[in-house]
Amino acid sequence: MKGPLFYSKILLFGEYGIIKDSKGLSIPYNFYNGALKVDENPSEEAIRSNQSLQRFALYLKELQENNPQLVKFDLDTLNADIERGMYFDSSIPQGYGVGSSGALVAAIYDEYAKEKITVLENLTREKLLKLKKIFGEMESFFHGKSSGLDPLNSYLSLPILINSQDNIEPAGIPSQTENGKGAVFLLDSGSIGETAPMVNIFMENMKQEPFRKMLKEQFVKHTDACVDDFLQGDVKSLFGNIKKLSHVVLDNFKPMIPAQFHKLWQRGIDTNDYYLKLCGSGGGGYILGFTEDIDKARHALKDYRLEIVYNF
């Protein structure tokens, strides 16, 4: 048995801000993917994944009992498959902000949900919001409160524009420029980030009026501008706004940036060779980078591994 592939995702803009109704833009990242699978001779990793699926199945049973209007699963088949040793075979690194649990949630929904909303339908806003709600409830099993966006992105394999919490739509993003010098890239921090503690820090900060003011007047403002620039293909304006956003994040989200990257972050702002921002909740995993000249960025970051996500 081998199910269809579900891809990782990258939230280009909107981390933390979408909790407070900033815009967001999420794109599928096909470099990593995962699928449900059964093997004759499972590895240790497959056995661990299978045990995690057992716990997830119990959670889904509770979810269905508590909220039967929202979603129903074919739990008998799911449990029988888990009994046979089914696991999630994934190349998506966990704790790196690229949606490892999102791809798993999408795969389980696709295979076991009853009366599921399919990708082939006319995806109205109502259907998208319902899917997002279902996925949010499902993914909460993995890291507390979930917006449901990661699984939605993985399930649809489309860029998604978040206008606000209850207004999302598939987005057309400008096609990539072959051999373009500008790029969006991932920088490996070399450590794993835990989502829940980072979100807790953010929620604690939100209790302070100055932080809320900064979020609204600077973070959300620059994020929204970046999303608009990116969708319109206005690269010049985009890099001006990313620089401001990078600065705001360095000044106000220090706990989410691994300490050894604070200087590197500042150097990008000072030299304009690259600008860094959080990828997902931060705390480790990947850091997202933007540059107008990938050769300059590679040289400036020669001690690190860069993965290109998108070319301008």
Side-chain angles (χ1 to χ4, degrees):
M1 167 192 167
K2 179 113 165 64
L5 286 177
F6 288 90
Y7 297 111
S8 54
K9 67 86 206 133
I10 290 171
L11 186 62
L12 283 183
F13 303 105
E15 70 293 344
Y16 292 109
I18 51 177
I19 297 175
K20 288 291 148 209
D21 267 356
S22 79
K23 286 188 177 180
L25 182 64
S26 184
I27 61 169
Y29 183 41
N30 300 358
F31 186 72
Y32 295 122
N33 55 56
L36 294 168
K37 208 171 167 186
V38 176
D39 276 349
E40 291 298 308
N41 300 305
S43 64
E44 275 184 33
E45 206 175 331
I47 291 166
R48 274 200 302 277
S49 170
N50 175 260
Q51 289 165 344
S52 171
L53 282 180
Q54 285 174 29
R55 294 190 292 274
F56 189 37
L58 288 171
Y59 172 83
L60 295 180
K61 181 171 181 264
E62 273 178 39
L63 173 61
Q64 179 173 299
E65 284 166 1
N66 296 338
N67 202 340
Q69 299 307 307
L70 184 66
V71 64
K72 292 188 182 73
F73 299 97
D74 181 353
L75 293 170
D76 292 343
T77 308
L78 172 60
N79 286 317
D81 287 343
I82 291 171
E83 192 72 25
R84 279 178 32 222
M86 182 176 75
Y87 66 101
F88 191 58
D89 182 26
S90 169
S91 65
I92 308 169
Q94 293 188 356
Y96 264 68
V98 286
S100 54
S101 58
L104 167 57
V105 165
I108 292 285
Y109 177 84
D110 181 62
E111 189 67 35
Y112 301 102
K114 293 179 173 178
E115 299 161 27
K116 68 177 182 183
I117 297 167
T118 70
V119 187
L120 303 170
E121 296 172 38
N122 173 19
L123 286 168
T124 60
R125 204 172 107 190
E126 281 67 32
K127 284 181 184 170
L128 282 174
L129 284 173
K130 176 149 193 201
L131 271 175
K132 181 173 173 283
K133 186 162 175 35
I134 291 167
F135 289 149
E137 292 292 337
M138 288 174 72
E139 200 183 29
S140 295
F141 169 77
F142 296 97
H143 46 65
K145 193 168 164 28
S146 160
S147 68
L149 269 173
D150 288 6
L152 185 65
N153 203 296
S154 192
Y155 185 64
L156 300 178
S157 234
L158 291 168
I160 293 171
L161 170 64
I162 302 109
N163 292 304
S164 63
Q165 284 185 345
D166 55 2
N167 182 354
I168 53 174
E169 56 186 311
I173 60 172
S175 51
Q176 300 197 46
T177 315
E178 287 290 322
N179 310 321
K181 282 177 87 73
V184 183
F185 59 87
L186 294 174
L187 174 72
D188 189 342
S189 74
S191 63
I192 287 175
E194 292 273 342
T195 300
M198 295 297 124
V199 173
N200 288 343
I201 293 170
F202 175 78
M203 288 308 195
E204 277 303 306
N205 287 344
M206 283 300 289
K207 292 174 184 171
Q208 313 297 323
E209 174 56 34
F211 188 86
R212 288 201 301 273
K213 191 170 186 293
M214 172 282 302
L215 198 78
K216 187 176 170 194
E217 292 176 6
Q218 296 175 46
F219 187 84
V220 170
K221 184 179 124 186
H222 300 323
T223 296
D224 287 359
C226 284
V227 171
D228 292 341
D229 289 343
F230 188 89
L231 291 176
Q232 285 156 19
D234 188 342
V235 176
K236 192 170 173 5
S237 177
L238 174 66
F239 278 92
N241 283 311
I242 286 172
K243 181 173 184 173
K244 291 174 190 160
L245 184 59
S246 183
H247 216 301
V248 169
V249 172
L250 183 60
D251 290 347
N252 299 283
F253 289 81
K254 276 232 165 69
M256 287 74 165
I257 304 170
Q260 67 273 30
F261 288 95
H262 292 178
K263 279 188 178 142
L264 203 67
W265 202 288
Q266 185 65 53
R267 198 182 309 149
I269 294 167
D270 293 343
T271 61
N272 298 316
D273 287 348
Y274 58 87
Y275 305 121
L276 301 179
K277 65 182 287 299
L278 295 173
C279 179
S281 55
Y286 284 121
I287 292 167
L288 205 49
F290 289 77
T291 180
E292 291 187 84
D293 186 335
I294 189 61
D295 296 331
K296 268 190 185 168
R298 278 193 199 283
H299 182 70
L301 300 164
K302 61 182 183 298
D303 299 335
Y304 300 90
R305 209 165 56 105
L306 305 188
E307 284 175 31
I308 299 205
V309 173
Y310 185 93
N311 281 105
F312 293 104

